Amino acid sequence: MKALVYDGELRLVGDYPRPEPPPGEALVRVILAGICNTDLEIMRGYLGFHGVLGHEFVGMVEVCAGAPELIGQRVVGEINAACGDCPTCRAGRPTHCPNRTTLGIGGRDGAFAEFLTLPVVNLHPVPDQMSNRVAVFTEPLAAACEITEQVHLHPTDRVVVLGDGKLGLLVAQVLGLTSCDLLVVGRHAEKLDILRRRGIPTALTDEARDVQEADVVVDCTGHPDGFLAARAMVRPRGTLVLKSTFHGVNQVNLTALVVDEVRLIGSRCGPFAPALRLLARDLIDVESLIDAVYPLDEGLAAFERASTKGTLKVLLEIG
Amino acid sequence: MKALVYDGELRLVGDYPRPEPPPGEALVRVILAGICNTDLEIMRGYLGFHGVLGHEFVGMVEVCAGAPELIGQRVVGEINAACGDCPTCRAGRPTHCPNRTTLGIGGRDGAFAEFLTLPVVNLHPVPDQMSNRVAVFTEPLAAACEITEQVHLHPTDRVVVLGDGKLGLLVAQVLGLTSCDLLVVGRHAEKLDILRRRGIPTALTDEARDVQEADVVVDCTGHPDGFLAARAMVRPRGTLVLKSTFHGVNQVNLTALVVDEVRLIGSRCGPFAPALRLLARDLIDVESLIDAVYPLDEGLAAFERASTKGTLKVLLEIG
């Protein structure tokens, strides 16, 4: 099968072996997939992953011995494949299973290929009336929902989202539904416009230099610098939610966190069902986030486009 | 009056001006005071404070225009003097008031002197039957209570306290009262013995190399290295409580916090009333934490003793 493989460099391979679903897993024909910043970070050395990239997808179940009713069903898929058997899994935290593999990120080939396999328990049927272009955003939108899963946002909270990239725009839309006093700070007027059209207040970075005393600040910048900016905006005893993953470490004044009693919360993958509910109710504008759609054959060009500063979501049309 | 002053070097001054209590404040004659690691850190440049050091004390109210019933009363005192009027104060977070002064730490002379002043609202009467040697631990014990104020410790939680210094031993005793599954890790068998005598499980650092998957880890090491050690022990989605303040910054892998969705909680000064309740009920062994008592005249020797690695609490007898 065709696949976009990273093994130190990114290559389009024509004869990559088609995966065989082991017991408990389904074979999924990928229809549409999205390029995420994590894919770009992997190509900068993040996590040291080699294999088929890609973890945002919508596809069709082709083979599924354990759950034949899924065959022919359009699905999206949670990306962490847990062992189900270790203390972490049994404690109800399968996305943190130490034995997990992660689609296109760790130990498991990803979605930028004609086929992928995932455990049946990871798959979520897509409502019939939902388009592929919408459904492909389920995974990143679930990551946005993880914030409200972890943190109680009060309607009276002053909340700042830093970053107007793909993730920031989804996070902002999810948090905006909570009725909190939200401000989204970014570097690109045209991206912030996507939010402004939906009535979400925004500011350019330069206009937001004086923002401080926020109850909650969410760093979605994807950059090491985002932490310092977010830190400066959060009030004592406030909450700083970290969504950015990048290759490298930060200099952090831990003592200042102690003195200000700041709460830092790392936040990663989220629950799919809430994300699908938001998409089904058309409460999130994802269409405006699509920058371009490329066929898999032009995968290298798609990555070049996705790597260009300021580009929003680049999709790969596969099946 | 006599005072122990830090102005780039530590000096015992015989004719330091006796403070005048402004409206709303009381003049307190200091009886007994404790040297804290923060005092030592200030002498390494932390916070850039110059003035009379000291913030742990028990004393007697001598002058108190606003609340004459306090005169002659033995008191301990919360160290942050807030403005009471700013949005932070009005939001109920006076210990984070941006206009605050802090006894012996910022903008306000401290307790290593014959007299100090503090706002009346900061003072807590000491129960008659409580000795000065016990009451002087109220401030650091309150800092330990701040952890249970901020974090819900479940009885089924596996909790690790890192550090067997003054603060670690108090924190361990407070957390040990919650019925959680507690382990205290330190470098000094004789200090850990204080806890072991009370039935609290302990381990030397070398014995605890394999500890991981803790639900909550509290860093009381007072060292930059403590963070890494604590980080290695906390489970994904676990809570890392930071109690250490020190001069300098850390290298932190923020991305790993995101991936493991770790919650970091800075924790500083705490509530006095709960600390006094614990002391009054004799639930905390503070007597074993006292290393030595010096008269104020020998304040420099007391600081030298307190700076010696492994020393527990050094007290200054003042009034």
Side-chain angles (χ1 to χ4, degrees):
Chain A
M1 66 174 184
K2 283 186 208 161
L4 210 49
V5 177
Y6 178 73
D7 57 5
E9 63 175 331
L10 189 68
R11 296 181 299 118
L12 183 69
V13 177
D15 58 349
Y16 201 80
R18 181 170 155 163
E20 287 285 338
E25 299 207 2
L27 180 75
V28 177
R29 177 187 291 274
V30 182
I31 300 170
L32 191 64
I35 299 177
C36 166
N37 273 348
T38 302
D39 301 314
L40 305 175
E41 285 292 329
I42 286 172
M43 291 168 58
R44 292 182 193 112
Y46 176 54
L47 297 172
F49 175 72
H50 282 186
V52 178
L53 289 179
H55 55 275
E56 303 175 0
F57 75 94
V58 53
M60 183 78 79
V61 177
E62 291 238 334
V63 177
C64 190
E69 70 280 9
L70 279 180
I71 293 171
Q73 177 69 255
R74 208 160 46 113
V75 294
V76 289
E78 301 198 41
I79 70 176
N80 294 288
C83 76
D85 202 36
C86 68
T88 301
C89 283
R90 275 181 267 125
R93 298 186 293 272
T95 57
H96 292 282
C97 167
N99 311 314
R100 74 185 180 275
T101 57
T102 307
L103 189 71
I105 292 177
R108 173 179 289 266
D109 279 330
F112 300 156
E114 290 177 87
F115 294 93
L116 61 80
T117 63
L118 267 180
V120 172
V121 295
N122 285 43
L123 301 179
H124 295 256
V126 174
D128 288 341
Q129 65 282 15
M130 192 182 291
S131 74
N132 292 324
R133 284 166 70 97
V134 168
V136 75
F137 281 90
T138 307
E139 199 279 335
L141 187 63
C145 292
E146 179 72 351
I147 297 171
T148 43
E149 183 78 11
Q150 293 175 290
V151 181
H152 175 198
L153 288 183
H154 303 78
T156 53
D157 278 343
R158 281 186 64 217
V159 179
V160 178
V161 172
L162 283 191
D164 55 10
K166 298 179 279 292
L167 183 59
L169 295 176
L170 292 173
V171 165
Q173 293 189 67
V174 170
L175 303 196
L177 295 172
T178 69
S179 82
C180 71
D181 178 5
L182 177 64
L183 177 71
V184 182
V185 178
R187 297 188 181 279
H188 311 88
E190 72 285 3
K191 293 185 190 175
L192 294 174
D193 274 342
I194 296 170
L195 300 175
R196 232 172 315 180
R197 286 200 298 270
R198 298 179 80 79
I200 294 174
T202 67
L204 287 167
T205 306
D206 282 342
E207 301 163 349
R209 297 239 173 270
D210 294 338
V211 173
Q212 50 185 22
E213 292 290 316
D215 299 294
V216 180
V217 182
V218 183
D219 173 26
C220 299
T221 60
H223 291 285
D225 301 347
F227 178 76
L228 266 188
R231 178 67 183 88
M233 290 181 177
V234 77
R235 68 163 167 83
R237 285 208 190 136
T239 298
L240 216 159
V241 179
L242 307 181
K243 289 301 284 187
S244 297
T245 54
F246 44 79
H247 190 54
V249 297
N250 267 47
Q251 297 268 13
V252 178
N253 186 332
L254 293 174
T255 293
L257 295 181
V258 172
V259 169
D260 286 343
E261 297 192 313
V262 169
R263 186 167 67 133
L264 232 80
I265 296 191
S267 178
R268 195 201 348 132
C269 302
F272 268 44
L276 282 165
R277 285 193 287 270
L278 291 179
L279 291 174
R281 294 191 52 206
D282 203 19
L283 287 167
I284 309 291
D285 175 12
V286 296
E287 195 57 47
S288 300
L289 270 62
I290 300 174
D291 175 90
V293 185
Y294 288 77
L296 180 58
D297 282 341
E298 295 173 24
L300 299 181
F303 261 79
E304 205 172 305
R305 173 84 198 169
S307 310
T308 308
K309 244 183 138 72
T311 304
L312 285 174
K313 185 63 75 185
V314 174
L315 299 178
L316 288 167
E317 200 152 37
I318 297 179
Chain B
M1 65 174 184
K2 284 186 207 160
L4 210 49
V5 177
Y6 178 73
D7 58 5
E9 61 175 334
L10 188 68
R11 296 181 299 119
L12 184 69
V13 177
D15 57 350
Y16 200 83
R18 178 168 157 164
E20 288 285 340
E25 299 206 4
L27 181 75
V28 177
R29 179 187 289 274
V30 182
I31 301 170
L32 191 64
I35 299 178
C36 166
N37 273 349
T38 301
D39 301 315
L40 305 175
E41 285 291 329
I42 286 172
M43 292 168 58
R44 294 183 192 113
Y46 177 55
L47 296 173
F49 175 72
H50 283 186
V52 179
L53 288 181
H55 56 275
E56 303 175 2
F57 75 95
V58 54
M60 185 77 82
V61 177
E62 292 238 333
V63 177
C64 190
E69 71 280 9
L70 278 180
I71 293 170
Q73 178 68 256
R74 206 160 48 112
V75 293
V76 289
E78 303 198 40
I79 70 178
N80 294 288
C83 75
D85 202 36
C86 68
T88 301
C89 283
R90 276 183 266 124
R93 297 186 293 272
T95 57
H96 292 282
C97 168
N99 311 315
R100 74 187 181 275
T101 58
T102 307
L103 189 72
I105 291 177
R108 174 179 288 267
D109 277 331
F112 300 157
E114 291 178 89
F115 295 93
L116 61 81
T117 62
L118 266 182
V120 172
V121 294
N122 286 43
L123 301 179
H124 295 256
V126 175
D128 288 342
Q129 65 281 16
M130 192 182 292
S131 74
N132 292 325
R133 285 166 68 95
V134 168
V136 76
F137 281 91
T138 307
E139 198 278 338
L141 188 64
C145 292
E146 178 73 349
I147 297 171
T148 42
E149 184 78 11
Q150 295 175 289
V151 181
H152 174 199
L153 287 183
H154 304 77
T156 53
D157 278 343
R158 282 186 63 216
V159 179
V160 178
V161 172
L162 284 190
D164 55 9
K166 298 180 280 293
L167 183 58
L169 295 176
L170 292 172
V171 165
Q173 292 188 68
V174 170
L175 303 197
L177 295 172
T178 68
S179 81
C180 70
D181 177 4
L182 178 63
L183 177 70
V184 182
V185 178
R187 298 189 180 279
H188 311 88
E190 73 286 2
K191 294 186 189 173
L192 294 175
D193 274 343
I194 296 170
L195 300 175
R196 234 172 315 182
R197 287 201 296 272
R198 298 180 80 80
I200 294 175
T202 68
L204 288 166
T205 306
D206 282 341
E207 301 163 348
R209 296 239 175 270
D210 293 338
V211 173
Q212 50 185 22
E213 293 290 316
D215 298 295
V216 179
V217 182
V218 183
D219 173 26
C220 299
T221 60
H223 291 286
D225 301 345
F227 177 75
L228 266 189
R231 177 66 184 89
M233 289 181 177
V234 75
R235 68 163 167 83
R237 287 211 190 134
T239 298
L240 216 159
V241 179
L242 306 180
K243 289 302 285 187
S244 297
T245 55
F246 45 79
H247 190 54
V249 296
N250 268 46
Q251 296 268 12
V252 178
N253 186 334
L254 294 174
T255 295
L257 296 179
V258 172
V259 169
D260 286 342
E261 297 192 314
V262 169
R263 187 167 67 133
L264 233 82
I265 296 190
S267 177
R268 197 206 339 137
C269 300
F272 268 43
L276 282 165
R277 284 193 288 270
L278 290 179
L279 291 174
R281 293 190 54 206
D282 203 18
L283 287 168
I284 308 290
D285 175 12
V286 296
E287 196 57 49
S288 300
L289 270 60
I290 300 174
D291 176 272
V293 186
Y294 289 78
L296 181 57
D297 282 342
E298 296 173 24
L300 298 180
F303 260 79
E304 204 173 306
R305 172 86 199 168
S307 310
T308 309
K309 242 182 141 67
T311 304
L312 284 174
K313 185 63 73 185
V314 174
L315 299 177
L316 287 167
E317 200 152 38
I318 297 177

